Each structure stands twice: as C-alpha cells, then as structure tokens.
Amino acid sequence: MSLFGLDGKKALIVGGGRGMGEATALHLAQAGCDIAVLDNQQDRAELVAGEVEKLGRRAIPIVADILDEESVRRAVTEAEAKLGGLDILVTIVGQALFKPLIDVTLDEWDSEQARNLRYFFVTARAVAQSMIARDVQGSIVCISSIDGVVGAPMHAAYGAAKAGLVHLVKSMAAEWGRNGIRVNSVAPGVITTPRLPETPQSLAMVEQSVIPLGRPGTTNEIAGAALFLASGLSSYVTGHTIMVDGGWMASNIFDPRIFEVKKSL
Ligand SMILES: NC(=O)c1ccc[n+]([C@@H]2O[C@H](COP(=O)([O-])OP(=O)(O)OC[C@H]3O[C@@H](n4cnc5c(N)ncnc54)[C@H](O)[C@@H]3O)[C@@H](O)[C@H]2O)c1
C-alpha cells in the first residue's frame, strides 16, 4: 500500500453514494484513506460509509446538495473537522440531458452547467482554499467525459460542461501547482453504472461499435484511474485528463474489422 503513498490520507468523495463514487471510496479506503462520503441521499452515503468502515478505515457520511454553495462549504468544513483535514477531493456527480440542441431551454442549459461544471468549481475552490491555508500537498480529481473532448450530439449542453471541466483542471493545475495541489480529470467512455445498467441491447451496441475493447467499462475501472490520480503514483501528473474509454478516442470511424470484410469480398 505504501506504493500509493495514501496511508492515513483523508479523502472527500462528492457523489460517493453509488456507482463510480462508491467504487472510488472503496478503492481509496483499500489504499489506506479515511473517507468522507458526500451524497444528497442519506441512505446511500451511510451505506458506503459503512462499507468503508468494514475495510478498517474511518468513514463519515455527509448529506449535502452540490447545487448549493453554502451546503458544499459546510460539507467541506465538516469533512475536515471530523476526519482531521483533507488531502484528496474526488467529484463524481454529473447529469446528461439528451435532447436536440435546438429544443434546449435556457433553464436546461443552466442546469447542465450547474450539475456538471459549476459545482466542481465551487467544491474544488473550497477544498483548495483550505489546502493552501493548511499547506497541504493535495490532489483533486473530477469525472469529466469523452463528451467533453469530442462533440456531443443530442447532449451538447452536457458536452460543453464536460469540456469546461477538461479546461478547468488545466487552469486550476496552473494556478495551484506552486501550492503543491494537483488537479486532473478522468474521462469515462461507456460505463455500466446503477443509472446505466447493462442490457442485451446496450451490450450489442457496444460490441458492434468502434470501441477497440468491444465492451462497456466498469465503475471499478473508473475508480482505478481516480486512485492513480489521487495517489503518489501520479505525483508528476497535473492538468490532465485520462481517457478510460476502452480505446474509443484512439479509434476512428473505420472499424479495423472492415478489413476482414474486405478480404472476404
Ligand atoms: N456512465 C457513463 O457511461 C458515463 C460516461 C461518461 C461520464 N460519466 C460521468 O460519470 C459520473 C458518474 O455518473 P453516474 O451515472 O455513476 O452518477 P450517479 O447518477 O449515480 O450519481 C452519483 C451520486 O451522486 C449523487 N448526487 C446526485 N445529485 C446530487 C446532488 N445534487 N448533490 C449531492 N449528490 C448528488 C447521487 O445520489 C449518486 O449517489 C458523472 O459525472 C457522469 O457525467 C458517466
């Protein structure tokens, strides 16, 4: 575990109550972290905090709403007070509205920015202010998306917000690097989660897609990247976005299997 350099570190997981957040909380706990599990669903926060405790680490559930700056500030203060500081922040919460851009209302646009981009600014700033005041060399990780790197037809407001995250981690990394704070993002491709469970149709779609690994990713595979970015293994990595997408962004629309088809013609 000392390879990660995380023994006794304190982490706040925002949206830690299920899926990628739950997996990240458990990965960090197994690597030696004490965990504050923030969620707007009390039962989810308590459940995951209980799972962390079973791994032998300290855990506190925190109920807060990421859309409310005061609620976020109170949560950061509570996490620091109860855990005895904060070294790591991972933000998971996100929402995608699927709708033709032509029909998107201003309220919907603002909601997508608030739930994906604005709250990360609010949370990361609150945590960074405290890290700087306490002279903590910390790591901040958010979950962006491949939709923030390429176009996002039918969910363009989400894509724009995620692109904002990809950019914001660079600016934060540049502004806070001399304070010893690293800031990075993980960009998932298609990941099976409690909100997006696997179905025969979704599996068939992914299998027929140009995703080189030919399968959806898992919440543990996102948690692995978040753990890497939170840990000392990535101590010289900041301002970057790691794609966890089965190679999707490395491929183009020409599926290599087309050459098999051509050979048979
Ligand atoms: N599943 C995919 O294929 C995929 C692909 C790309 C990016 N992502 C991103 O991955 C992240 C996780 O997605 P998910 O579907 O697992 O998330 P999710 O909907 O399961 O949400 C994670 C947790 O956040 C909590 N939450 C929701 N709103 C909240 C609020 N206002 N305040 C506090 N907590 C709140 C939920 O209760 C939940 O426990 C998102 O940022 C999403 O955009 C997912």
Side-chain angles (χ1 to χ4, degrees):
M1 285 309 162
S2 59
L3 192 62
F4 292 115
L6 289 178
D7 282 326
K9 298 285 186 194
K10 326 287 182 198
L12 170 62
I13 314 294
V14 175
R18 72 173 180 182
M20 295 180 202
E22 178 179 11
T24 301
L26 299 182
H27 270 61
L28 289 182
Q30 285 177 67
C33 291
D34 295 330
I35 311 282
V37 183
L38 184 157
D39 209 282
N40 63 352
Q41 308 292 312
Q42 183 166 357
D43 54 336
R44 288 186 191 160
E46 285 173 352
L47 192 95
V48 175
E51 288 172 9
V52 168
E53 278 172 351
K54 282 187 207 148
L55 293 169
R57 300 309 315 182
R58 268 197 310 151
I60 54 159
I62 298 181
V63 180
D65 181 2
I66 51 99
L67 297 176
D68 175 5
E69 182 174 14
E70 241 342 277
S71 177
V72 168
R73 284 199 169 274
R74 271 199 307 274
V76 169
T77 305
E78 183 183 345
E80 284 177 343
K82 291 192 174 161
L83 291 181
L86 269 184
D87 307 283
I88 294 157
L89 167 69
V90 184
T91 67
I92 307 285
V93 182
Q95 159 187 292
L97 170 75
F98 282 82
K99 200 172 180 183
L101 189 50
I102 274 217
D103 299 328
V104 170
T105 66
L106 275 191
D107 281 349
E108 287 169 340
W109 176 272
D110 288 346
S111 168
E112 291 295 283
Q113 307 314 309
R115 287 174 189 278
N116 290 292
L117 178 58
R118 189 186 70 189
Y119 93 86
F120 174 65
F121 159 62
V122 166
T123 317
R125 181 172 63 169
V127 168
Q129 277 168 344
S130 158
M131 284 175 172
I132 291 166
R134 291 181 294 113
D135 202 16
V136 166
Q137 316 268 297
S139 173
I140 295 175
V141 181
C142 68
I143 305 297
S144 55
S145 171
I146 57 161
D147 296 327
V149 181
V150 291
M154 302 299 282
H155 54 316
Y158 172 81
K162 293 295 193 182
L165 287 177
V166 170
H167 188 275
L168 191 53
V169 298
K170 296 179 190 177
S171 301
M172 287 176 170
E175 286 201 29
W176 302 337
R178 296 297 167 107
N179 299 103
I181 300 171
R182 297 183 299 108
V183 190
N184 294 287
S185 93
V186 177
V190 176
I191 308 297
T192 301
T193 66
R195 192 149 59 94
L196 290 175
E198 245 166 46
T199 62
Q201 291 90 334
S202 72
L203 277 179
M205 238 172 64
V206 170
E207 207 282 321
Q208 284 159 22
S209 73
V210 294
I211 299 172
L213 292 185
R215 63 167 177 85
T218 66
T219 54
N220 279 340
E221 287 169 323
I222 300 301
L227 170 60
F228 166 69
L229 290 173
S231 79
L233 289 178
S234 62
S235 53
Y236 202 52
V237 180
T238 193
H240 287 289
T241 289
I242 295 185
M243 312 282 165
V244 183
D245 63 352
W248 195 355
M249 292 296 103
S251 188
N252 67 16
I253 56 165
F254 295 107
D255 188 323
R257 285 172 295 182
I258 199 166
F259 294 110
E260 295 307 312
V261 176
K262 277 190 172 170
K263 266 192 261 168
S264 67
L265 288 178

